[in-house]
Amino acid sequence: MIPTLIVAWIVFVILFKILKTTLKNALTIAAILVLLNIGFGITPQDIWNQIIQWADTVSQNQ
């Protein structure tokens, strides 16, 4: 019983840390997107199009 609780606690702590990091990164990216939109009028679609264009350029140069 005790080893099961210890393993469950370890799994819980690991999952909590992963969730915390994921939320932190998501909020950071969202804040950057909002600031780019407000400050420069750059939309998420503009950023995505630029990423696709960059990926195409990289794949063509290989």
Side-chain angles (χ1 to χ4, degrees), residues 6-7 14 17-18 22 24 26-27 44 54 58-59 61-62:
I6 292 171
V7 170
I14 290 171
K17 287 182 181 184
I18 291 170
T22 302
K24 183 178 177 183
L27 290 175
W54 178 78
V58 169
S59 67
N61 290 335
Q62 291 182 351

Side-chain angles (χ1 to χ4, degrees), residues 25-58:
N25 288 339
L27 290 175
T28 301
I29 291 169
I32 290 170
L33 289 175
V34 168
L35 290 173
L36 284 173
N37 197 338
I38 292 171
F40 302 104
I42 299 172
T43 65
Q45 187 64 39
D46 295 333
I47 295 170
W48 186 250
N49 289 338
Q50 190 65 33
I51 291 170
I52 296 297
Q53 182 182 0
W54 178 78
D56 288 341
T57 303
V58 169

